[in-house]
Structures are given as structure tokens and as C-alpha cells.
């Protein structure tokens, strides 16, 4: 799904209003009805609601939600800055409509910080939405500080108030800490980063009938990876095929004491459909890999650490898990990069070797894929002040090196050489354990071997990896799940993808 900026969302609203010949007030009513339906379905009409409304159209949404909640039989109290008129006609119209309804108490927002609320009251935050930028000031800052000090359930409309839709406002900004965020039509960029997404709670995407024509025509370099996108990329297997049709994967991994990482990577390749899979590593891993991965072949290079490796022209190579950083291993990687010209995948110790030998980065073949976690990225390219700047630097380096960067995080980002950013939406905190990344290395390598493009292989592998992790967490819990549990669920993800929708 495309991610639009706040400015593009305003254009989307205007386009919908013009093409459908509706008023902006009618579109606001759609949004309010969609929010109200979700709120009533989730919490019911027998609870009390407190709605905080701001001076713009987000406040207009709030006035309309309050009116609609009351029409459902709920007790509703509203707080707004009554000393200043709403700044938009639609917000003013909805305030006037609210004032015509008997039974809804309207208070000045200035007194909210002094109010004692029963903790059972559900608070609806409609102070500021996607049009907001900067930092909260005055009465709004005071209201949000009070709100965050309360234990009440909090539901934000569009965005948590104080959160910019596009940028990080810094660690000193005051933002509503919501339990739920009800956003419209498409996610916002700031939902997907740790510094800002932490305020959103569970994000609920609500449709309000914005123009599909605009969505299709408007360009974006940012996307969320969802099942619809994955189904478009996924290749079903032909019945008339053999193992040669699904490529040859070479997993260069393992060293003394770290052969388990190689096992996980090889099994990741096998489970993701590699036609022929070969493991290359020191001979100390021979018995382990031949026992744990009987479907794969083994080629020995060195005794306790890798001293060299070779790959045939028909092979896709993945390098790194458990490899170690012995000088002979680093030399072996350097020599291979000097002569290899096809895209390959690098993770873990391969990235650490690159960080220790920055000149190796310039040897990476075009459209190769690297998969750093934040600390590995920092070692490779330098420290950044926050994850937003890390993405910017990753885009710069992906373009400069003509590679794809899989930047692992809560919402792992696949950053292409052309500047597109794909934010993954599958996965969970249970995957934050040693071994998960080794599996991913094998999966990406296998998909490249099956003739997926660099972008497709990275996006598809990251999503399947996360989805398998979600299934494993459902079965074993996030705390107890292991990377091997994730491996065992990959097949169930493929079964779901192969099924007809």
C-alpha cells in the first residue's frame, strides 16, 4: 500500500470532493461515522466518552464523533478551546451542530488539566491530525500532558495529537500516548518508526471512500508491505518443472562454534524453495550440516574457519551467518568479491568484515542485498541521530552503491537503489533473538536463485519471514519461540499464499 505525505492526503481529499461532487463537510461526516462505528463496536454505548477537540478539521471530526456517539445512546462530554473559534468552516459547522444537541456537556479545554476523570471513561483524542507540524503549545500541550498522566483508554483520531505525519519532531515533543489510532485510508510514515510509532498503540485503518483513481495515479516512493502486494509478487510453481527450474543456492556460513548459524541459513534456503542448496564452510561443520540438513550438499574450505570459496556461474550466493572475522576469512571474501559480478546476499559477519574493510563495499556487485540490523548499519555507514535519519542515509548509500539494503527493525525496511522504501508489516518482538536473521539470509538467497528480482526477493522474503514468526508466536509465545520454530512455519505461509482468495 502506498504511503502518502500529509500534503498528498490533502490533495486526495480535494480530488475526492471534486470528482464525487460532495462537500468537505460530507467527507468529514464519513470519517466521523467510520470512527464512531469502530468505537461502538469495540467499546459499546453503555460507557462514558470524553472527547477532546482541537481548532482544525481534526477537531471537527471530534465534534461529529461526539454527536454520533450520543445518538448511539452513549454519555458524552466534550472539551474544546471555547475562547478561540474553530479555524475551519467544517469544524465550526460541526461545533454548531453539537451545540444543538441536548445532553452533551461542552467544557472549555483550559479546565481539562484540573478535571478528575473516572478511569473507566474512554478518551477520544481529536485535537490535531495529519495537518499538524511542530510542537504543541499552550492549552493543548497542557491538555496532552494531563491526558498522558491518566490511566484511561485513549483513542486518537487520524494521528495521536502532537505527532507529525511525515517527520520526527524530536525527543522533547509532547505527543498523546494512544492505545488505538484510527487513521484514514492509508498509514502515515511516522507510524512505522520506533521514536514515533510508540505513541500510536494499535493502528486501525478505516476506509472513508477516498478516490481510487487518485490512489492509482499518485506516485509515492514509500509503501507498506501487505498480503495484497505479496500475492502480486509470488510465483506459483508450474507442474512441469524440476529442481533445475528453482535455482542453485550457495550458503557461505559457519565457523568453529558457530555452525548453528549456518544450519539455520541453509534450512531457510531449503524451506523457501531452493532447487539445489549447497553449504560452504570449514570442515569442522561437515558432520553437523550433513546431519541437520541432509537435503543440502557441503563443500569444505578450511578447518575451523573459512579460507576460500568458489561458486559456479549458475549459483546465487549468500554469505555471512556465523562466518567469523578471521583475517583469512576476510581475505577470502575480498578475493571472491573481486571476481564475482552477480547479485549476492550478505549478512552478519560478512557485514562486519565489510565494516572493518570499507573498501570492500565498492566491490559489491550491482543489485546485491545487504541485511544489517541497526548496529551493523552503524558500523558500515556511521551513526545517525535517529531512525528517520538512518533511513535517509540508507537511501543515499543504496543509490550510491547500487544495492538493496534490508534495514532490520520492528518494521523492517527494504530500501532499493532507486530510492523506494518498503516497510514490512509482518513479524513481532519474539523474532528479536539470535538466529532469526540467519534464516532470512537463506530465504532471500533462495528467492534470488528462483529468478525473483532483487526487490521482489527482499520484499517477499522479509514478509514471509515475519509472517512465519507471527505463526510461531501464536503457537509458542513471543518469549518462547525460536528461530527453528519460525523455520517450521514457512511452509504454512506458502500454503496460504498458494490458496485461492
Amino acid at each position: 500500500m502506498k504511503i502518502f505525505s500529509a500534503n498528498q492526503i490533502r490533495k486526495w481529499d480535494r480530488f475526492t470532493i471534486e470528482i464525487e461532487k460532495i462537500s468537505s463537510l460530507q467527507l468529514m461526516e464519513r470519517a466521523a461515522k467510520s470512527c464512531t462505528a469502530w468505537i461502538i463496536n469495540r467499546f459499546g454505548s453503555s460507557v462514558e466518552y470524553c472527547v477532546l477537540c482541537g481548532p482544525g478539521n481534526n477537531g471537527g471530526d471530534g465534534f461529529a464523533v461526539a454527536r454520533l456517539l450520543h445518538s448511539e445512546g452513549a454519555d458524552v462530554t466534550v472539551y474544546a478551546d471555547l475562547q478561540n473559534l474553530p479555524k475551519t468552516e467544517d469544524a465550526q459547522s460541526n461545533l454548531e451542530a453539537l451545540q444543538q444537541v441536548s445532553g452533551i456537556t461542552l467544557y472549555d479545554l483550559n479546565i481539562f488539566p484540573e478535571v478528575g476523570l473516572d478511569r473507566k471513561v474512554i478518551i477520544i483524542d481529536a485535537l490535531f491530525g495529519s495537518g499538524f507540524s511542530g510542537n504543541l503549545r499552550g492549552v493543548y500541550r497542557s491538555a496532552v500532558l494531563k491526558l498522558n498522566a491518566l490511566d484511561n483508554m485513549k483513542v486518537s483520531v487520524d494521528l495521536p495529537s502532537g505527532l507529525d505525519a511525515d517527520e520526527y519532531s524530536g525527543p522533547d515533543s509532547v505527543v498523546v500516548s494512544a492505545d488505538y489510532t484510527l487513521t484514514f485510508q492509508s498509514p502515515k510514515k511516522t507510524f512505522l518508526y520506533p521514536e514515533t510509532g510508540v505513541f500510536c498503540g494499535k493502528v486501525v485503518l478505516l476506509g472513508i471512500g477516498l478516490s481510487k483513481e487518485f490512489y492509482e495515479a499518485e506516485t509515492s516512493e514509500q509503501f507498506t508491505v501487505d498480503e495484497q502486494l505479496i500475492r502480486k509478487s509470488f510465483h506459483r510453481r508450474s507442474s512441469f518443472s524440476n529442481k533445475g527450474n528453482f535455482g542453485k543456492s550457495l550458503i557461505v556460513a559457519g565457523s568453529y562454534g558457530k555452525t548453528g548459524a549456518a544450519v539455520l541459513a541453509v534450512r531457510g534456503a531449503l524451506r523457501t524453495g531452493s532447487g539445489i542448496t549447497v553449504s560452504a564452510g570449514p570442515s569442522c561443520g561437515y558432520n553437523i550440516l550433513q546431519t541437520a540438513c541432509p537435503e543440502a550438499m557441503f563443500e569444505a574450505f578450511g578447518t575451523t574457519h573459512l579460507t576460500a570459496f568458489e561458486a559456479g556461474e549458475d549459483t546465487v550466493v549468500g554469505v555471512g551467518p556465523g562466518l567469523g572475522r578471521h583475517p583469512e576469512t576476510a581475505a577470502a571474501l575480498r578475493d571472491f568479491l573481486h571476481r564475482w559480478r552477480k547479485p549476492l546476499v550478505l549478512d552478519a559477519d560478512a557485514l562486519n568484515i565489510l565494516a572493518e574493510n570499507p573498501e570492500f563495499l565498492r566491490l559489491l556487485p550491482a543489485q546485491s542485498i545487504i541485511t544489517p540490523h541497526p548496529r551493523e548499519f552503524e558500523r558500515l555507514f556511521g551513526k545517525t541521530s535517529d531512525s528517520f535519519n538512518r533511513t535517509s542515509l540508507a537511501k543515499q548509500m543504496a543509490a550510491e552503491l547500487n544495492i538493496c539494503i534490508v534495514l532490520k527493525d520492528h518494521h523492517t525496511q527494504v530500501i532499493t537503489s532507486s530510492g523506494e522504501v518498503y516497510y514490512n508489516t509482518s513479524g513481532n518482538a519474539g523474532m528479536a533473538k539470535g538466529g532469526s536473521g540467519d534464516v532470512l539470509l537463506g530465504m532471500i538467497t533462495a528467492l534470488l536463485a528462483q529468478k525473483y528480482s532483487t526487490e521482489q526477493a527482499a520484499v517477499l522474503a522479509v514478509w514471509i519471514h515475519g509472517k512465519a514468526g507471527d505463526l510461531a508466536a501464536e503457537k509458542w509465545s513471543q518469549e518462547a519461540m525460536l528461530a527453528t520454530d519460525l523455520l517450521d512455519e514457512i511452509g504454512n505461509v506458502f500454503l496460504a499464499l498458494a490458496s485461492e482468495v
Side-chain angles (χ1 to χ4, degrees), residues 347-348 351-352 370-380 390 405-409 412 437:
D347 183 41
L351 300 181
N352 291 326
I370 65 172
T371 63
H373 57 59
R375 289 296 299 277
E376 289 168 341
F377 182 86
E378 181 180 316
R379 293 184 203 119
L380 283 166
R390 186 164 62 234
I405 299 178
V406 175
L407 190 53
K408 292 183 285 195
D409 210 329
T412 291

Side-chain angles (χ1 to χ4, degrees), residues 336-337 340-344 346 360-369 401-404:
F336 181 76
L337 291 176
W340 193 252
R341 293 294 177 266
K342 294 172 59 178
L344 70 159
L346 297 97
F360 290 9
L361 280 166
R362 303 296 167 180
L363 301 176
L364 293 178
Q367 293 304 297
S368 290
I369 301 170
L401 297 171
N402 194 17
I403 61 172
C404 175

Side-chain angles (χ1 to χ4, degrees), residues 85-402:
L85 292 174
K87 295 181 178 180
T88 70
E89 291 183 8
D90 292 342
Q92 179 64 37
S93 295
N94 268 315
L95 172 58
E96 292 171 356
L98 179 80
Q99 291 171 325
Q100 299 302 312
V101 178
S102 61
I104 298 179
T105 308
L106 179 63
Y107 293 107
D108 196 293
L109 189 63
N110 283 283
I111 71 169
F112 181 74
E114 311 304 322
V115 172
L117 282 183
D118 188 294
R119 68 185 307 273
K120 294 181 181 179
V121 174
I122 295 170
I123 300 174
I124 310 298
D125 158 39
L127 293 171
F128 294 96
S130 60
F132 178 83
S133 62
N135 291 294
L136 291 173
R137 298 281 186 265
V139 63
Y140 299 109
R141 182 183 179 90
S142 298
V144 170
L145 288 172
K146 165 70 174 185
L147 194 159
N148 283 345
L150 298 172
D151 292 332
N152 300 61
M153 180 70 67
K154 305 172 189 71
V155 180
S156 289
V157 176
D158 196 20
L159 285 90
S161 292
L163 184 65
D164 190 300
D166 303 322
E167 303 296 339
Y168 177 43
S169 300
D172 297 328
S173 56
V174 173
V175 181
V176 170
S177 185
D179 296 289
Y180 293 93
T181 297
L182 310 183
T183 200
F184 305 122
Q185 213 71 42
S186 68
K188 313 299 189 290
K189 177 181 173 180
T190 47
F191 294 173
L192 303 165
Y193 285 86
E195 294 92 344
T196 48
V198 68
F199 295 108
C200 300
K202 181 175 176 58
V203 175
V204 179
L205 193 62
L206 300 176
I208 57 171
L210 294 183
S211 168
K212 292 182 180 178
E213 181 183 345
F214 179 92
Y215 178 84
E216 295 298 332
E218 185 73 6
T219 60
S220 176
E221 290 186 340
Q222 302 176 105
F223 308 85
T224 55
V225 181
D226 52 24
E227 189 168 338
Q228 183 178 8
L229 175 63
I230 292 301
R231 284 185 176 275
K232 289 179 180 178
S233 302
F234 176 58
H235 301 164
R236 297 174 186 271
R237 291 197 167 202
S238 168
S239 299
F240 296 93
S241 56
N242 58 68
K243 64 185 179 183
N245 297 120
F246 304 113
K248 183 177 181 180
S249 304
L250 176 67
I251 305 299
V252 184
S255 58
Y256 184 79
K258 298 180 180 179
T259 304
V263 170
L264 291 168
V266 171
R267 290 188 62 194
L270 291 167
R271 286 291 191 189
T272 313
S274 173
I276 301 170
T277 306
V278 181
S279 177
S283 59
C284 64
Y286 173 78
N287 288 333
I288 296 170
L289 279 152
Q290 288 295 87
T291 303
C293 308
E295 301 90 348
M297 293 176 279
F298 183 86
E299 295 178 352
F301 298 92
T303 305
T304 60
H305 60 270
L306 191 85
T307 57
F309 63 97
E310 302 288 341
E313 284 300 315
D314 61 342
T315 304
V316 172
V317 182
V319 190
L323 200 62
R325 290 180 283 172
H326 192 282
E328 286 187 302
T329 304
L333 178 58
R334 178 201 61 208
D335 292 344
F336 181 76
L337 291 176
H338 268 297
R339 62 182 182 271
W340 193 252
R341 293 294 177 266
K342 294 172 59 178
L344 70 159
V345 190
L346 297 97
D347 183 41
D349 280 332
L351 300 181
N352 291 326
I353 290 171
L354 292 181
E356 292 170 354
N357 304 272
E359 67 276 13
F360 290 9
L361 280 166
R362 303 296 167 180
L363 301 176
L364 293 178
Q367 293 304 297
S368 290
I369 301 170
I370 65 172
T371 63
H373 57 59
R375 289 296 299 277
E376 289 168 341
F377 182 86
E378 181 180 316
R379 293 184 203 119
L380 283 166
F381 302 118
K383 191 170 185 176
T384 56
S385 59
D386 54 66
S387 60
F388 287 79
N389 284 323
R390 186 164 62 234
T391 299
S392 297
L393 179 57
K395 289 177 68 175
Q396 176 187 330
M397 298 313 302
E400 187 175 318
L401 297 171
N402 194 17

Side-chain angles (χ1 to χ4, degrees), residues 67-81:
R67 168 172 47 80
L68 293 168
L69 285 172
H70 182 267
S71 73
E72 293 286 340
D75 291 330
V76 183
T77 301
V78 177
Y79 289 85
D81 184 6

Side-chain angles (χ1 to χ4, degrees), residues 442-465:
M443 296 175 70
I444 298 174
T445 305
L447 290 174
L448 275 180
Q450 292 169 71
K451 302 296 189 293
Y452 284 90
S453 70
T454 290
E455 177 185 307
Q456 288 174 330
V459 169
L460 187 58
V462 166
W463 186 86
I464 294 172
H465 182 256

Side-chain angles (χ1 to χ4, degrees), residues 38-47 49 122 124 153-155 180:
W38 185 91
I39 292 167
I40 291 295
N41 184 62
R42 175 64 181 82
F43 302 110
S45 58
S46 60
V47 297
Y49 294 93
I122 295 170
I124 310 298
M153 180 70 67
K154 305 172 189 71
V155 180
Y180 293 93

